[in-house]
Amino acid sequence: MNEHNHPQSKQVINRLSRATGHLESVKKMAEEGRDCSELLVQISAVISALNSASKVILEDHINHCVVEAAKVDDKKVINDLIDAINEYVGINVKKDAGIH
Amino acid sequence: MNEHNHPQSKQVINRLSRATGHLESVKKMAEEGRDCSELLVQISAVISALNSASKVILEDHINHCVVEAAKVDDKKVINDLIDAINEYVGINVKKDAGIH
């Protein structure tokens, strides 16, 4: 396991925990046959919470892992970040094996 | 409670259930201090699953509730849908109190 911690790790866990609880309650709303528009609003709130958590993760990651990786020319960390961003935003960011 | 069901209700509940389990496992990954890029990829997968569930809800809703509402000129259902879409996509869709 590639264990590591960041200043915001606790905050990220709390945000993911709240989003999980929120999503659990949205599932219950669906089971109760609640109005579709209500469901859509609540799902969009969960997505918004997940986007916020991702921003915190990304900022922490860039400030720590990526800065450290750049110093020792660790291409794997940089390329993994690019892959993750590509996955996240659904557009292709070009990889550059060299760190300048 | 405004209880109602759609042909895809069961599918929506299953998708939300899977997304909840997935998000729970992402939270555990964060607790274990797993790599940030891995976390971002998994969070984006959960968001993608929630977007898919929302598409199913929206399609079902438009095919049933909205079509029925239009027939009886029920502006609330239409306006609630517009509010939900505004919330979801983050842009303003103009409301039109009249159904033509």
Side-chain angles (χ1 to χ4, degrees):
Chain A
M1 195 176 67
N2 187 8
E3 189 168 340
H4 68 297
N5 283 293
H6 290 303
Q8 305 303 327
S9 289
K10 184 84 186 146
Q11 189 199 142
V12 167
I13 292 165
N14 287 342
R15 281 172 185 259
L16 292 176
S17 189
R18 279 199 301 274
T20 306
H22 195 165
L23 188 51
E24 179 69 34
S25 74
V26 178
K27 192 195 80 177
K28 281 187 192 128
M29 286 172 68
E31 285 167 346
E32 290 167 358
R34 293 275 281 277
D35 186 73
C36 301
S37 295
E38 275 185 67
L39 284 182
L40 289 172
V41 168
Q42 293 307 318
I43 292 174
S44 74
V46 174
I47 291 176
S48 177
L50 293 179
N51 278 325
S52 296
S54 297
K55 279 168 68 178
V56 176
I57 294 170
L58 196 56
E59 202 173 303
D60 242 8
H61 186 52
I62 289 171
N63 279 333
H64 298 90
C65 309
V66 175
V67 166
E68 289 307 311
K71 283 179 188 163
V72 297
D73 201 22
D74 181 346
K75 294 175 185 66
K76 188 181 180 306
V77 168
I78 307 296
N79 284 336
D80 283 351
L81 172 64
I82 291 172
D83 284 341
I85 292 173
N86 281 338
E87 194 80 29
Y88 205 91
V89 298
I91 57 168
N92 283 325
V93 178
K94 202 178 165 198
K95 276 190 197 176
D96 181 358
I99 299 169
H100 309 290
Chain B
M1 194 177 69
N2 187 7
E3 189 168 339
H4 67 297
N5 283 293
H6 290 305
Q8 305 304 326
S9 290
K10 183 86 186 143
Q11 191 200 142
V12 167
I13 292 165
N14 287 342
R15 281 172 185 259
L16 292 176
S17 189
R18 279 200 301 275
T20 306
H22 195 165
L23 188 52
E24 179 69 33
S25 74
V26 177
K27 192 195 81 179
K28 281 188 191 128
M29 286 172 68
E31 285 167 346
E32 290 166 359
R34 292 276 281 278
D35 187 74
C36 301
S37 296
E38 276 184 68
L39 284 182
L40 289 172
V41 168
Q42 293 308 318
I43 292 174
S44 74
V46 174
I47 291 175
S48 177
L50 293 179
N51 278 324
S52 296
S54 297
K55 279 168 69 178
V56 176
I57 294 169
L58 196 55
E59 203 173 303
D60 243 8
H61 186 52
I62 289 170
N63 279 331
H64 298 88
C65 309
V66 175
V67 166
E68 289 308 311
K71 283 179 189 165
V72 297
D73 200 23
D74 181 346
K75 294 174 185 66
K76 186 179 182 308
V77 168
I78 307 295
N79 284 335
D80 283 352
L81 173 63
I82 291 171
D83 284 342
I85 292 173
N86 281 338
E87 194 80 29
Y88 206 90
V89 299
I91 56 168
N92 283 324
V93 178
K94 201 177 165 198
K95 278 190 197 177
D96 181 356
I99 300 168
H100 308 288

